[in-house]
Amino acid sequence: LYTAKQRRRDVEVYDSTADRASHRVRMTGDLRDAIAAGALTVHYQPKTDPATGRVHGAEALVRWEHPEHGRVSPEEFIPLAEQTGLIRPLTTLVLDTALAACAGWRRQGHHLGVAVNLSTRSLTDTELPAQVGEALRRAGLPPAALTLEITETAVMADLARSVAVLQELRAIGVRLSVDDFGTGQSSLAYLKLLPVHEMKIDKAFVLGLADDQGDAAIVRAALSLGRAMGLWVVAEGVEDGTTLALLAEWGCDSVQGYHVSRPLPPAALEAWLDARHAPEPVGAGRGAPGA
Ligand code: C2E
Ligand code: MG
Ligand code: MG
Ligand code: MG
């Protein structure tokens, strides 16, 4: 983190670099404590059918309320966890929490799936498939209830190993999703190699889709590519009704975004689900989650 002082005074760059390093060390220690104390929480953002509003599932998004710094973004602490060996315990915590939540929704008659994000590091962890299998058994859930969201950039870091790990996960019966589609490099070449069920079009293209012809063209191209490859296509970052209506018209399978719901704490998500009356099982459509 840069201090205001650092931005103003180049002369102080050495001090500031040291400040930054010690800030990192402190944050790493705080993150380790937060994981150990179970102080990280998980919020859930619904994935819904843009045409009918039916709920397919929810994505688990980790949250960290730092005692002094307040809410720290996962974009900041996930890389920190990856660099400091904390990503495995963090992933285990989020997986267990999310699967227990999903089992709870099902007990209440909401037959939904849950999606968990995997970091770059986790994808080359050859123990991951066994870890995921054990977490599913602990929660008493069928593997198809879980979707794991990965990024192409993560796969590119070690292609052979990542593809092996993904194939093992697929063999268990877990659903796999390519997150942030369109922002990685060599998207098309990698997509062909990945044994995935779902494509999530990055919000960078979805946010401007109603006003920007270029974004609209990219989203429509991604949709037809996903369909041609037999994938379940999700659009993230749906912030208004116009965007939702266009995605429904274009046949997008599922949407996520502030217009439908923000990521919610567990109790709020349950209230949201109850209010939507979504207890019916998801049909056996093309790659539909939540089987
Ligand atoms: P992501 O998986 O692509 O998640 C989507 C991000 O977009 C989330 O940010 C979500 O809150 C945000 N979002 C949802 N709807 C909208 C919308 O309508 N408009 C806009 N502008 N944003 C929207 P968040 O929760 O801050 O997470 C950021 C990233 O951190 C995630 O991107 C994911 O890559 C990573 N992340 C979050 N939780 C975990 C986790 O448990 N494990 C790992 N490895 N990574 C995680
Ligand atoms: Mg995601
Ligand atoms: Mg994404
Ligand atoms: Mg992202």
PDB file of all heavy atoms in Angstrom, residues 4 23 34 218 222 247:
ATOM      1  N   ALA A   4       0.365   8.481   1.293  1.00  0.00           N
ATOM      2  CA  ALA A   4       0.311   9.783   0.626  1.00  0.00           C
ATOM      3  C   ALA A   4       1.707  10.396   0.601  1.00  0.00           C
ATOM      4  O   ALA A   4       2.134  11.002  -0.381  1.00  0.00           O
ATOM      5  CB  ALA A   4      -0.658  10.702   1.361  1.00  0.00           C
ATOM      6  N   HIS A  23       4.336  -3.367   6.255  1.00  0.00           N
ATOM      7  CA  HIS A  23       2.877  -3.460   6.182  1.00  0.00           C
ATOM      8  C   HIS A  23       2.466  -4.850   5.695  1.00  0.00           C
ATOM      9  O   HIS A  23       1.567  -5.483   6.237  1.00  0.00           O
ATOM     10  CB  HIS A  23       2.327  -2.382   5.249  1.00  0.00           C
ATOM     11  CG  HIS A  23       0.845  -2.436   5.051  1.00  0.00           C
ATOM     12  ND1 HIS A  23      -0.037  -2.027   6.009  1.00  0.00           N
ATOM     13  CD2 HIS A  23       0.102  -2.891   4.004  1.00  0.00           C
ATOM     14  CE1 HIS A  23      -1.272  -2.222   5.566  1.00  0.00           C
ATOM     15  NE2 HIS A  23      -1.213  -2.740   4.356  1.00  0.00           N
ATOM     16  N   ALA A  34      -6.478 -14.467  11.162  1.00  0.00           N
ATOM     17  CA  ALA A  34      -7.895 -14.438  10.788  1.00  0.00           C
ATOM     18  C   ALA A  34      -8.346 -15.806  10.272  1.00  0.00           C
ATOM     19  O   ALA A  34      -9.443 -16.273  10.597  1.00  0.00           O
ATOM     20  CB  ALA A  34      -8.138 -13.361   9.718  1.00  0.00           C
ATOM     21  N   ILE A 218     -18.586  -8.168 -28.374  1.00  0.00           N
ATOM     22  CA  ILE A 218     -17.736  -9.151 -27.683  1.00  0.00           C
ATOM     23  C   ILE A 218     -18.581 -10.140 -26.885  1.00  0.00           C
ATOM     24  O   ILE A 218     -18.367 -11.352 -26.942  1.00  0.00           O
ATOM     25  CB  ILE A 218     -16.704  -8.429 -26.770  1.00  0.00           C
ATOM     26  CG1 ILE A 218     -15.658  -7.718 -27.630  1.00  0.00           C
ATOM     27  CG2 ILE A 218     -16.031  -9.422 -25.809  1.00  0.00           C
ATOM     28  CD1 ILE A 218     -14.743  -6.781 -26.866  1.00  0.00           C
ATOM     29  N   ALA A 222     -18.815 -14.102 -27.511  1.00  0.00           N
ATOM     30  CA  ALA A 222     -18.469 -15.058 -26.452  1.00  0.00           C
ATOM     31  C   ALA A 222     -19.632 -16.023 -26.216  1.00  0.00           C
ATOM     32  O   ALA A 222     -19.425 -17.230 -26.044  1.00  0.00           O
ATOM     33  CB  ALA A 222     -18.114 -14.315 -25.159  1.00  0.00           C
ATOM     34  N   LEU A 247     -29.361  -9.730 -22.359  1.00  0.00           N
ATOM     35  CA  LEU A 247     -28.763 -11.050 -22.138  1.00  0.00           C
ATOM     36  C   LEU A 247     -29.818 -12.149 -22.255  1.00  0.00           C
ATOM     37  O   LEU A 247     -29.549 -13.228 -22.786  1.00  0.00           O
ATOM     38  CB  LEU A 247     -28.049 -11.098 -20.780  1.00  0.00           C
ATOM     39  CG  LEU A 247     -26.746 -10.277 -20.741  1.00  0.00           C
ATOM     40  CD1 LEU A 247     -26.299 -10.035 -19.301  1.00  0.00           C
ATOM     41  CD2 LEU A 247     -25.644 -10.967 -21.552  1.00  0.00           C
TER      42      LEU A 247
END
